[in-house]
Amino acid sequence: MQETNETKKDDLIVIGGAGGFIGGALARYFRDRGFTKIRAIDKKPLPEWYQRVPGVECLCLDLSHEENCKRACEDAVEVVNLAADMGGMGFIERFRVECLRSILINTHMIEAAYRAGAQRYFYSSSACAYNIDLQKDPNVRALKESDAYPANAERGYGWEKLVSEIFCQEYWQERGLKTSIARFHNVYGPDGTWDGGREKAPAAICRKVIQAKDEDTGSIEIWGDGTQTRSFMYIDDCVKGIDMIMHAENLIATPINLGSAELVTINELVSLAEACGGVKLKRSYKLDAPLGVAGRNSDNTMIKEMLGWEPDTPLRDGLAKTYEWIERQYMDRKAGKRTIS
Ligand code: NAD
């Protein structure tokens, strides 16, 4: 964390959703920077957390309940809310009610943070908050922050994000709580979901390549026709970006993109994963699979202007590390060992 006048190494930082991918990485990031009081919270039982960071207080609480949010935020100086019921396209297109119900988490967490006298509150929004009419073509214009309005967000998940963003903006306007809002664009990396239905495209594709190699099938199934475009942000850039955004005085209550601007087609993503595995597979395209929008990229003009930085880990490098990690998970699972997905 960039140390500001207000942030001291023994200030209590609360992270909601810390049993998941980004929350686990963020707890580690803060701990590695010498912060001594970190409270990590997730509704999953502790043995199911993706990372348990030594020295971090871990609590198993369902943050959709007001009382649990009060407990979570006791004595908090900074609160980061990453807790949400979410997954890749397969999950968010099918389970819209679950996604919408995450509104309860932010609603109670921000009130609890405010009542506890926290100095800062961070909310993880998503590129799914953007108007879907602007994402119908794979040759997309990158999305800039103002493209969320007029609003026509992704059904379920995207609307929850948009409304929670507004909560954050009004807690600043009306009550003076310093809030930060980052719209994440597809995050990937080690220690994330890689199987089971909630995984996102980079992890799913790595797993399929690994499995095709292991079972010697010579083929891979791809959702859609492979021409959809996306950008993917490596986890190290994501946690660094969270830290920078939540401590930037010029970004209070201001939604900002946190994503990579390296646009690729899903076919290109598959080629990169194949290169990691040293194979070439026959591709079959599942055209009736959940696809999401045709194209989406992050316009990073604002983050470069405000922070003089943007997520810049090349996809090739981040994917190589992710592939290696998933391959170890895959082999561990095959050997009957415990894995995170
Ligand atoms: P994740 O699913 O790995 O982690 C989210 C965690 O929240 C899970 O461990 C889950 O158990 C927990 N959670 C859900 N409901 C809860 C509740 N009621 N109480 C307590 N914990 C609860 O997801 P992630 O990839 O780490 O995402 C973190 C945040 O970033 C989410 O808000 C997500 O919407 C947002 N986001 C992620 C991406 C991405 O590509 N990973 C993209 C855009 C936005």
Side-chain angles (χ1 to χ4, degrees):
M1 185 188 291
Q2 299 166 327
E3 203 155 1
T4 64
N5 295 341
E6 303 161 73
T7 319
K8 295 194 278 313
K9 292 288 186 202
D10 61 351
D11 280 345
L12 176 64
I13 303 167
V14 171
I15 306 173
F21 171 40
I22 301 171
L26 191 67
R28 186 171 295 284
Y29 172 91
F30 285 149
R31 200 278 320 261
D32 289 350
R33 270 150 197 81
F35 287 83
T36 55
K37 287 192 190 153
I38 301 165
R39 180 180 296 150
I41 303 173
D42 205 286
K43 72 172 177 186
K44 285 191 294 208
L46 292 174
E48 290 173 26
W49 288 31
Y50 290 178
Q51 297 199 55
R52 294 278 302 281
V53 183
V56 168
E57 178 190 5
C58 296
L59 299 180
C60 174
L61 294 172
D62 182 339
L63 296 173
S64 59
H65 298 292
E66 189 181 1
E67 284 310 308
N68 290 342
C69 291
K70 278 190 194 159
R71 166 70 189 95
C73 291
E74 268 168 24
D75 303 320
V77 177
E78 302 199 340
V79 176
V80 183
N81 175 21
L82 299 166
D85 225 338
M86 63 90 65
M89 277 327 298
F91 182 84
I92 66 176
E93 285 201 355
R94 174 133 192 265
F95 298 107
R96 292 182 182 137
V97 172
E98 273 81 351
C99 292
L100 282 167
R101 285 180 60 82
S102 292
I103 195 86
L104 294 171
I105 304 173
N106 193 62
T107 307
H108 292 314
M109 273 301 264
I110 196 166
E111 176 69 14
Y114 169 71
R115 284 182 185 270
Q119 287 168 16
R120 292 181 187 272
Y121 183 88
F122 177 95
Y123 177 66
S124 50
S125 184
S126 163
C128 291
Y130 283 113
N131 190 323
I132 52 175
D133 289 337
L134 301 173
Q135 306 171 63
K136 289 187 167 159
D137 187 338
N139 300 312
V140 280
R141 170 176 70 68
L143 293 161
K144 57 183 187 302
E145 285 74 5
S146 55
D147 289 332
Y149 296 97
N152 187 13
E154 184 100 37
R155 282 181 65 183
Y157 182 70
W159 278 102
E160 188 275 317
K161 294 294 186 194
L162 210 50
V163 176
S164 291
E165 283 188 4
I166 294 171
F167 265 90
C168 293
Q169 292 180 305
E170 299 309 333
Y171 268 78
W172 165 241
Q173 284 296 325
E174 226 175 87
R175 301 190 182 185
L177 173 61
K178 286 186 178 175
T179 56
S180 318
I181 307 149
R183 292 186 184 138
F184 297 171
H185 291 244
N186 296 301
V187 191
Y188 73 99
D191 296 302
T193 312
W194 60 276
D195 202 0
R198 287 184 187 244
E199 68 281 15
K200 303 201 152 197
I205 288 169
C206 287
R207 186 199 69 232
K208 287 180 186 181
V209 170
I210 292 161
Q211 188 167 4
K213 262 182 82 176
D214 183 49
E215 295 173 0
D216 204 15
T217 61
S219 65
I220 183 168
E221 183 187 83
I222 298 167
W223 284 12
D225 63 5
T227 62
Q228 318 91 288
T229 53
R230 291 289 187 279
S231 71
F232 299 99
M233 168 170 58
Y234 191 58
I235 184 67
D236 291 3
D237 287 335
C238 181
V239 291
K240 180 176 175 185
I242 292 172
D243 177 9
M244 291 177 90
I245 290 167
M246 73 182 282
H247 296 101
E249 293 299 326
N250 54 354
L251 285 175
I252 307 287
T254 308
I256 184 166
N257 281 332
L258 182 55
S260 163
E262 182 185 347
L263 190 71
V264 291
T265 64
I266 295 299
N267 275 326
E268 286 165 342
L269 182 65
V270 174
S271 299
L272 287 173
E274 285 176 336
C276 294
V279 282
K280 270 275 164 211
L281 302 168
K282 187 171 172 313
R283 300 177 185 191
S284 70
Y285 294 96
K286 185 169 163 48
L287 301 177
D288 59 353
L291 293 181
V293 294
R296 177 182 288 156
N297 196 8
S298 177
D299 181 323
N300 285 349
T301 310
M302 183 171 169
I303 195 167
K304 282 190 283 186
E305 251 173 50
M306 297 294 202
L307 301 178
W309 173 86
E310 68 178 316
D312 57 2
T313 304
L315 181 57
R316 183 182 298 275
D317 298 351
L319 201 70
K321 291 182 191 161
T322 309
Y323 183 98
E324 227 176 75
W325 178 82
I326 294 177
E327 194 168 41
R328 279 202 305 277
Q329 287 274 303
Y330 180 94
M331 292 306 168
D332 281 354
R333 187 168 70 184
K334 213 176 149 184
K337 293 188 196 157
R338 192 184 183 90
T339 59
I340 73 169
S341 283

